[in-house]
Amino acid sequence: MKLAEMGVTQFVDTLASDAPAPGGGSAAALMGALGAGLAAMVGCLTQGRKKYADYAEFAAQVENRGNELKAKLLDVMDRDTEAFNLVSAAFSLPKETEEEKAKRSAAIQEGLKACTETPLECMALGCEAVVLAHDFLEQGFNTSSASDLGVAFLSLSAAIRGAWLNVLINLGSIKDEAFRADCRAKGEALLAKSLPLAEAGYEKVLNLL
């Protein structure tokens, strides 16, 4: 069963078990999906209200894009666990001969790259959701839902930071120097863009309450 198809209790119980996956990477993607979903919710709640009529068009865009990002992050949640399972399978490959050792090592390296690419994708999607929510905050929204937007910023910040930890732990075992440098540069750029916006958004929400 896909993680995204589990009930909340089943997912959390699986997360809390001795199963190595799902783990922090899938949890980070789920937090991102929650943040994007909350932004979509606030977009929905801003529409159809006379008081916020000036913001309705952008609110509809936030609702639509927030839901798209939510779906993509839920997909990343499943693919993160699938990538981990590929690495686990690679470690189980035979290593009796030099040929087997080389094949096993190559499979492990490819698996580790996949395990790095999924949290990087989570960071990129989370960053887009942060920008979307921040733009929404700046343009105007239903302030009765300010706390929901604040939780969106917190969830997205946690998702991005958590995904970055998963990038780093995998990079430490990858031998491809160019791949490592590229992933680190992309991740650091996403952090630099998203985290200040998430923090500023949260502070602005606090000032509204």
Side-chain angles (χ1 to χ4, degrees):
M1 176 185 289
K2 287 185 174 290
L3 299 176
E5 296 173 355
M6 290 182 175
V8 173
T9 300
Q10 184 183 6
F11 177 84
V12 174
D13 285 348
T14 304
L15 194 69
S17 73
D18 60 0
S26 290
L30 176 58
M31 286 187 281
L34 292 172
L38 281 167
M41 182 189 86
V42 178
C44 181
L45 292 174
T46 302
Q47 298 170 66
R49 288 162 172 78
K50 186 176 180 180
K51 182 178 179 181
Y52 304 108
D54 290 345
Y55 316 136
E57 184 177 351
F58 190 71
Q61 295 175 28
V62 172
E63 180 188 5
N64 292 334
R65 188 54 184 158
N67 277 314
E68 290 172 355
L69 291 169
K70 176 198 68 179
K72 290 184 177 183
L73 283 157
L74 287 175
D75 181 57
V76 169
M77 179 178 73
D78 271 303
R79 287 193 285 111
D80 185 87
T81 291
E82 290 167 4
F84 178 85
N85 289 337
L86 285 176
V87 174
S88 296
F91 272 104
S92 299
L93 291 172
K95 51 181 178 177
E96 297 301 320
T97 67
E98 290 303 314
E99 183 179 353
E100 287 177 343
K101 288 178 182 177
K103 183 177 179 180
R104 177 177 177 272
S105 178
I108 290 171
Q109 287 297 306
E110 286 305 306
L112 287 170
K113 286 183 178 181
C115 280
T116 306
E117 288 165 346
T118 47
L120 262 181
E121 185 178 351
C122 178
M123 292 180 73
L125 293 168
C127 180
E128 184 177 346
V130 167
V131 172
L132 183 71
H134 190 270
D135 288 347
F136 194 23
L137 183 62
E138 292 294 305
Q139 292 210 25
F141 70 103
N142 184 344
T143 54
S144 297
S145 302
S147 60
D148 301 302
L149 200 56
V151 175
F153 284 119
L154 291 174
S155 299
L156 292 166
S157 176
I160 293 164
R161 290 173 183 269
W164 180 233
L165 294 178
N166 280 270
V167 170
L168 293 176
I169 198 168
N170 287 302
L171 286 182
S173 301
I174 291 174
K175 299 175 183 178
D176 186 334
E177 294 282 351
F179 180 87
R180 289 170 57 185
D182 182 59
C183 289
R184 185 174 286 275
K186 288 178 178 176
E188 289 176 347
L190 288 166
L191 290 172
K193 180 177 181 179
S194 61
L195 296 185
L197 285 179
E199 181 62 25
Y202 176 71
E203 290 298 326
K204 287 179 180 179
V205 167
L206 277 180
N207 291 331
L208 292 173
L209 301 177

